[in-house]
């Protein structure tokens, strides 16, 4: 095994772009890769190039007519009939508007996640990270929530079809992982877990604790909707207390996780108030579980994250540091306010519209205290209690 951890990446994935004003900005990929390189944490030998997904691979999780629509709307000047029917496929909204070459780049995103899954399941590596992936909202016949094709679902379907493996999907995005949940809602080989801000105020409005799967898969869908303004301790407690017994019960062969980093306090599109600490501790827990239950097999994907300067590069870099056993992650245990590489700060501050943080973790002592903290924590505890009733 050449590398225990591989980094699936192609700069072309940054052309997944709706328009200049859209909050989904894949420059965050370039910023993350640059940070890792300047920290000495990413080598060329660890990078593998994604391939494009085939139509057959897309059709495992998407209807053929939807794939046809995506292709047609990817043309520089789509035919009128397709433009008029774009709403039928969720591709004419402010969130998810069609764009030129949409099919080509999104097929590469899907192919990257399948590449990561195949690399791990074949034994070529124990762990694989594909930050270009994590488009978890796309449905069978509809784009949604900045997502055209659902690469997470396609990667999981590849694993179940080719390896007949039991897959635990962990979604840590602040928005409910609805597209993946519905893809496998009746498949007992796949257990989906999502911790997210309650849908009362946030897209997509789903992810209640009562959504539990159906038929033979009843009980293999678990949701933990946390309250707005949830902070680190309550988030991590909710995450660990439900997942620990869930993994013991389900006994997965592999973990596939989605790492949206929009539960951070600085993210502009949600209301959860966590710090960079959860993005260090959460992947450590997932790795421990993968080592204990899955012989180390772990595929991690990107996801949401809309403060592309202050949050995403640090959060995603911490994920890779954990996956790759880089010494920096041990140093952060002793030096939580360890400085970021000065070269990265100097080069990017000139372009950043906000002042960049200069440490890997947040200096939370200066943050304003959250009102009603005790009430929020108590509500989350009650949600966990309900979720645990369904797990045990």
């Amino acid at each position: 095994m050449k590398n225990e951890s591989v980094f699936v990446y192609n700069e072309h994935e940054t052309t997944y772009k709706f328009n200049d004003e859209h909050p989904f900005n894949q420059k965050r990929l370039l910023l993350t890769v640059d940070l890792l390189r300047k920290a000495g944490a990413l080598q060329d030998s660890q990078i593998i190039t994604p391939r494009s997904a085939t139509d057959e691979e897309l059709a495992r999780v998407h209807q053929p007519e939807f794939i046809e629509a995506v292709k047609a709307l990817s043309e520089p000047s789509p035919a009128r009939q397709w433009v008029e029917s774009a709403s039928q496929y969720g591709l004419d909204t402010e969130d998810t508007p069609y764009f030129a070459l949409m099919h080509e780049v999104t097929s590469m995103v899907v192919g990257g996640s399948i590449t990561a899954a195949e690399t791990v399941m074949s034994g070529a590596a124990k762990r694989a990270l594909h930050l270009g992936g994590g488009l978890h909202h796309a449905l069978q016949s509809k784009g949604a929530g900045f997502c055209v094709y659902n690469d997470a679902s396609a990667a999981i379907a590849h694993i179940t079809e080719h390896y007949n493996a039991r897959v635990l999907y962990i979604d840590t995005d602040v928005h409910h992982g609805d597209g993946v949940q519905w893809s496998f809602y009746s498949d007992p080989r796949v257990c989906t877990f999502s911790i997210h801000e309650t849908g009362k105020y946030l897209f997509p409005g789903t992810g209640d604790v009562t959504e539990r799967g159906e038929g033979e898969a009843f009980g293999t869908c678990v949701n933990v909707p946390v309250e707005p303004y949830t902070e680190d301790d309550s988030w991590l407690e909710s995450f660990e207390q439900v997942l620990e017994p869930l993994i013991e019960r389900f006994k997965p062969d592999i973990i596939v996780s989605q790492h949206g980093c929009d539960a951070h306090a600085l993210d502009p599109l949600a209301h959860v108030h966590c710090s960079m600490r959860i993005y260090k501790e959460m992947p450590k827990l997932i790795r421990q579980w993968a080592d204990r239950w899955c012989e180390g097999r772990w595929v991690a994907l990107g996801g949401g994250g809309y403060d592309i300067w202050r949050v995403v590069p640090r959060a995603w870099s911490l994920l890779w540091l954990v996956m790759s056993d880089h010494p920096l992650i041990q140093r952060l245990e002793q030096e939580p306010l360890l400085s970021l590489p000065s070269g990265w700060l100097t080069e990017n501050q000139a372009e950043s519209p906000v002042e960049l943080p200069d440490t890997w973790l947040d200096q939370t002592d200066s943050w304003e205290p959250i009102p009603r903290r005790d009430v929020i924590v108590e509500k989350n505890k009650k949600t966990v209690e309900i979720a645990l009733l369904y797990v045990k």
Side-chain angles (χ1 to χ4, degrees):
M1 189 178 290
K2 188 176 181 182
N3 285 311
E4 287 208 337
S5 302
V6 297
F7 191 96
V8 182
Y9 174 69
N10 186 325
E11 189 172 319
H12 180 67
E13 289 183 290
T14 60
T15 61
Y16 186 93
K17 181 178 181 179
F18 296 101
N19 54 60
D20 289 340
E21 290 73 39
H22 200 283
F24 192 100
N25 187 344
Q26 286 293 58
K27 182 177 176 61
R28 60 199 185 141
L29 273 177
L30 302 177
L31 291 166
T32 301
V33 170
D34 186 42
L35 176 56
L36 286 170
R37 288 191 184 281
K38 284 188 168 61
L42 182 62
Q43 311 304 321
D44 288 344
S45 61
Q46 297 172 300
I47 298 174
I48 60 176
T49 303
R51 61 170 176 82
S52 292
T54 65
D55 285 0
E56 179 183 2
E57 289 168 333
L58 293 171
R60 289 182 187 139
V61 294
H62 293 293
Q63 292 297 323
E65 59 269 25
F66 176 66
I67 299 170
E68 183 184 8
V70 172
K71 287 181 177 180
L73 289 166
S74 298
E75 296 293 330
S77 299
R80 180 178 176 182
Q81 68 186 81
W82 289 109
V83 172
E84 291 176 347
S85 63
S87 61
Q88 176 183 340
Y89 303 103
L91 297 173
D92 71 339
T93 65
E94 185 177 351
D95 281 355
T96 318
Y98 64 86
F99 59 95
L101 301 179
M102 171 174 61
H103 170 77
E104 287 75 10
V105 66
T106 316
S107 294
M108 178 178 286
V109 171
V110 176
S113 294
I114 293 174
T115 297
E118 180 60 30
T119 300
V120 172
M121 291 306 298
S122 69
K126 277 188 179 181
R127 299 172 289 275
L129 174 60
H130 178 221
L131 290 174
L135 305 179
H136 61 160
H137 292 307
L139 305 171
Q140 281 192 338
S141 297
K142 202 168 187 178
F146 312 162
C147 306
V148 178
Y149 292 140
N150 195 316
D151 65 285
S153 291
I156 293 169
H158 178 86
I159 294 169
T160 57
E161 179 160 322
H162 286 275
Y163 295 94
N164 195 30
R166 293 171 65 80
V167 182
L168 172 65
Y169 173 73
I170 299 174
D171 194 308
T172 63
D173 198 288
V174 79
H175 302 88
H176 176 228
D178 58 334
V180 184
Q181 172 178 298
W182 303 128
S183 290
F184 303 102
Y185 206 60
S186 58
D187 189 338
R189 299 171 298 176
V190 180
C191 179
T192 62
F193 169 90
S194 179
I195 181 169
H196 48 267
E197 183 182 328
T198 171
K200 184 174 181 181
Y201 305 108
L202 197 67
F203 176 91
T206 54
D208 191 77
V209 289
T210 57
E211 296 166 20
R212 300 179 59 195
E214 62 186 10
E216 292 183 26
F218 185 73
T220 61
C221 171
V222 177
N223 288 295
V224 180
V226 299
E227 293 297 307
Y229 303 104
T230 292
E231 296 170 286
D232 291 349
D233 287 344
S234 183
W235 194 97
L236 286 166
E237 181 181 88
S238 301
F239 182 76
E240 185 172 8
Q241 285 191 356
V242 177
L243 261 174
E244 188 87 54
L246 177 63
I247 294 172
E248 187 169 356
R249 189 200 72 186
F250 184 70
K251 296 180 174 59
D253 298 307
I254 181 173
I255 293 174
V256 175
S257 55
Q258 194 266 19
H259 294 265
C261 42
D262 38 9
H264 193 279
L266 294 177
D267 192 273
L269 299 188
H271 315 97
V272 171
H273 205 266
C274 291
S275 79
M276 204 56 60
R277 178 178 151 220
I278 71 166
Y279 299 110
K280 177 175 73 75
E281 298 302 325
M282 169 263 295
K284 286 167 58 180
L285 289 168
I286 295 176
R287 169 144 184 192
Q288 290 170 17
W289 293 324
D291 288 344
R292 180 180 177 188
W293 296 102
C294 309
E295 299 179 349
R297 288 184 291 267
W298 176 21
V299 170
L301 310 173
Y306 307 101
D307 189 316
I308 70 167
W309 298 97
R310 296 176 294 183
V311 176
V312 181
R314 292 189 296 159
W316 280 355
S317 292
L318 289 169
L319 170 61
W320 175 246
L321 295 179
V322 171
M323 294 189 85
S324 61
D325 283 323
H326 194 275
L328 265 174
I329 206 67
Q330 279 74 49
R331 281 192 66 186
L332 283 167
E333 298 299 327
Q334 306 301 320
E335 303 175 63
L337 296 182
L338 185 68
S339 295
L340 291 170
S342 59
W344 186 84
L345 291 167
T346 301
E347 286 184 19
N348 291 295
Q349 184 60 73
E351 188 180 353
S352 173
V354 292
E355 184 176 355
L356 297 175
D358 59 5
T359 55
W360 282 94
L361 301 183
D362 294 311
Q363 302 184 48
T364 56
D365 290 347
S366 63
W367 288 14
E368 290 287 333
I370 293 295
R372 301 174 60 250
R373 176 179 290 159
D374 292 345
V375 174
I376 292 167
V377 169
E378 191 58 34
K379 285 188 175 181
N380 287 339
K381 286 180 182 291
K382 290 186 182 303
T383 299
V384 166
E385 288 173 4
I386 296 170
L388 285 172
L389 290 175
Y390 295 155
V391 168
K392 295 178 179 178

